[in-house]
Amino acid sequence: MKFKVEYLLVIALVIFAAFFVYVTTISDSEFGGADGAAEDLIYELNPDYEPIAEPLWEPPGGETESLLFCLQGAIGALIIGLFFGYYYAMSKCKKQTGNA
């Protein structure tokens, strides 16, 4: 029996999703950013510390921050996809025209 790549990807996705659900339901962890952890450590080491700069704009809530983070990831994935698609199409075009 010959497995196709699509079947292997679906199986891997199902295994990953099951593992993710299992780990998130049994663990008692809260996701936090590195900036918050670093800030807590700095204030623990030096309680008199005053930052030299403040953010120009802070998002109104956690949802907006998550939205901006996801938007950044989507734009990055789009750029990477366009890059690979362009070079795939160029190599396919070169093979069809015989310039390979």
Side-chain angles (χ1 to χ4, degrees):
M1 181 174 178
K2 188 175 183 181
F3 285 104
K4 292 190 176 191
V5 176
E6 292 86 9
Y7 294 134
L8 292 175
L9 287 175
V10 169
I11 291 170
L13 183 65
V14 168
I15 290 172
F16 175 77
F19 180 73
F20 178 77
V21 169
Y22 174 73
V23 169
T24 55
T25 56
I26 65 164
S27 66
D28 189 24
S29 63
E30 186 173 320
F31 296 107
D35 294 339
E39 183 180 2
D40 293 342
L41 182 63
I42 289 170
Y43 283 123
E44 181 181 315
L45 295 174
N46 185 3
D48 298 330
Y49 173 77
E50 291 185 28
I52 58 172
E54 294 293 324
L56 297 175
W57 176 74
E58 285 195 32
E63 297 84 11
T64 307
E65 190 174 342
S66 296
L67 171 73
L68 293 174
F69 183 76
C70 291
L71 184 63
Q72 178 185 0
I75 291 171
L78 178 67
I79 291 170
I80 291 171
L82 287 173
F83 175 79
F84 282 117
Y86 174 78
Y87 282 105
Y88 174 75
M90 289 298 293
S91 68
K92 193 173 182 179
C93 182
K94 284 181 182 180
K95 286 181 184 177
Q96 286 180 352
T97 59
N99 293 336

